[in-house]
Amino acid sequence: MTAKEAQASEPHRLSVDRIQQAAAIIDPVFLNSPQFRAEPLEQQLGCHIVVKVETLNPIRSFKGRGAEYFTATLNGRPHLVCATAGNFGQGMAFAARKRGLRLTVFASLAANPLKVERMRALGAEVRLVGENFKAAHSAAKAFAAEMGAQMVEDGRIPAIAEGAGTIGLELLRWREPFDAVLVPVGDGALLGGVARWVKAHQPTTLIIGVCPSGAPAMERSWRARQAQELEQTQTIADGIAVQSPYPEAVAHLVGLADDILLVEDHALIAAMQQAHRELGVVLEPSGAAGLAALNIFQDRFKGKLIATILTGGNVTPEQMREWLSM
């Protein structure tokens, strides 16, 4: 047996059965998000588009799904610690408050103030440390070790990706098979979970991730088949500005993702404006990555049925004035 055959025969760390289970456990407020044909965009982009809107819930992002499934399947009542750019921390804060769990969140000094405010409003203790996520993550790990708390790392823990995978389950209720599904990629949990479900049930559908050009760590890691670290990131898409991918997250994507595309920040802003103007949806930069790719790579998707996930909409009033004033 070759190494490739041996890898293919091993059970995947992400479980289709657990994704199905997650759909029955996750708080319904995060489930069955709207998915519909975005007809105003189709003439502009030259393809048929189904958007799945993950912004209409208490935290304005998809991150509640993974946080919910993870905390619902915990053993005991540990003190939880995580690092976040903001959206995952909100998801964890919502899930921890619901279950009466103590949560300490670390974010960088540059974190989106709206996201920080919402985490605190949901009951989390939030500590702002360092200039970027990497520094906040290091501080969180040190704190968890000192306190004997449980460190929760989005992208590394299968249950978080499996919770996010319920989006794939819902997408495949669409009456026709998709030619491709475009997924914003940060730590890889969403892409891994969605790809696991879709490839198990609709294997001919292409699963394509989208990263910012200023934060291509996951794209490089997927191509190299091993984690590749960046010295720094330079993008407005804080939600997917990953600097140091987890090896486990990269492994989740190998053999499942078909491609990962890169988009510039100006394309993210144009896609945000497009979603606001044509769909009436407010997106943050990371939430618009799939639409940005559809704009940039129109020839690749021409005439096809494409789904994309609009993953988050946490923007400050200042950001709205800067990015959405047209």
Side-chain angles (χ1 to χ4, degrees), residues 25-89:
I25 290 177
I26 293 169
D27 192 310
V29 75
F30 296 111
L31 296 173
N32 300 310
S33 54
Q35 55 188 49
F36 56 87
R37 280 271 301 276
E39 295 185 58
L41 301 179
E42 294 185 344
Q43 186 172 359
Q44 299 173 32
L45 299 179
C47 61
H48 305 293
I49 307 167
V50 173
V51 295
K52 189 159 186 61
V53 184
E54 289 290 313
T55 65
L56 303 177
N57 59 57
I59 65 168
R60 305 186 198 176
S61 89
F62 78 95
K63 291 289 189 179
R65 293 178 184 251
E68 268 285 297
Y69 186 51
F70 167 73
T71 54
T73 53
L74 273 174
N75 291 320
R77 300 180 57 79
H79 173 187
L80 302 175
V81 179
C82 70
T84 183
N87 284 345
F88 179 64

Side-chain angles (χ1 to χ4, degrees), residues 160-243:
I160 296 172
E162 288 158 351
T166 57
I167 293 175
L169 181 155
E170 294 169 15
L171 274 172
L172 292 200
R173 293 173 184 159
W174 195 257
R175 56 187 174 274
E176 305 166 69
F178 295 111
D179 293 300
V181 178
L182 271 61
V183 184
V185 184
D187 55 54
L190 177 61
L191 182 60
V194 169
R196 182 71 177 104
W197 183 270
V198 172
K199 287 298 187 180
H201 295 86
Q202 199 166 286
T204 60
T205 295
L206 297 179
I207 302 296
I208 300 174
V210 186
C211 287
S213 296
M218 188 58 84
E219 183 263 350
R220 294 180 184 177
S221 299
W222 174 78
R223 295 194 188 283
R225 301 302 193 256
Q226 61 182 359
Q228 305 282 305
E229 185 169 335
L230 299 176
E231 288 294 324
Q232 61 181 358
T233 61
Q234 291 185 319
T235 178
I236 60 172
D238 64 315
I240 51 177
V242 169
Q243 191 173 348

Side-chain angles (χ1 to χ4, degrees), residues 95-322:
R97 184 180 70 174
K98 176 179 173 180
R99 293 168 178 83
L101 300 173
R102 182 182 175 189
L103 173 68
T104 304
V105 178
F106 285 75
S108 80
L109 293 166
N112 180 317
L114 174 65
K115 297 177 183 181
V116 171
E117 178 186 337
R118 288 301 301 148
M119 288 187 285
R120 286 175 170 150
L122 288 164
E125 176 191 355
V126 181
R127 300 189 179 196
L128 302 181
V129 178
E131 299 299 321
N132 54 36
F133 175 83
K134 185 177 181 180
H137 180 262
S138 295
K141 287 191 74 172
F143 176 81
E146 178 186 351
M147 299 296 293
Q150 182 170 342
M151 183 71 186
V152 183
E153 294 174 300
D154 188 12
R156 174 166 273 172
I157 298 172
I160 296 172
E162 288 158 351
T166 57
I167 293 175
L169 181 155
E170 294 169 15
L171 274 172
L172 292 200
R173 293 173 184 159
W174 195 257
R175 56 187 174 274
E176 305 166 69
F178 295 111
D179 293 300
V181 178
L182 271 61
V183 184
V185 184
D187 55 54
L190 177 61
L191 182 60
V194 169
R196 182 71 177 104
W197 183 270
V198 172
K199 287 298 187 180
H201 295 86
Q202 199 166 286
T204 60
T205 295
L206 297 179
I207 302 296
I208 300 174
V210 186
C211 287
S213 296
M218 188 58 84
E219 183 263 350
R220 294 180 184 177
S221 299
W222 174 78
R223 295 194 188 283
R225 301 302 193 256
Q226 61 182 359
Q228 305 282 305
E229 185 169 335
L230 299 176
E231 288 294 324
Q232 61 181 358
T233 61
Q234 291 185 319
T235 178
I236 60 172
D238 64 315
I240 51 177
V242 169
Q243 191 173 348
S244 304
Y246 297 121
E248 296 89 341
V250 177
H252 290 166
L253 304 183
V254 173
L256 290 179
D258 293 289
D259 201 358
I260 298 181
L261 305 175
L262 298 177
V263 296
E264 300 284 348
D265 280 3
H266 67 81
L268 294 173
I269 293 172
M272 292 167 62
Q273 293 172 347
Q274 187 179 47
H276 190 224
R277 181 178 63 248
E278 304 293 352
L279 305 179
V281 177
V282 173
L283 298 176
E284 61 189 274
S286 56
L291 280 183
L294 284 172
N295 277 282
I296 294 169
F297 300 96
Q298 288 192 30
D299 289 346
R300 178 169 181 170
F301 301 111
K302 186 175 182 180
K304 296 180 178 179
L305 178 61
I306 310 298
T308 190
I309 306 163
L310 310 181
T311 53
N314 283 297
V315 287
T316 66
E318 293 76 18
Q319 289 170 335
M320 290 185 71
R321 284 192 291 270
E322 179 180 358

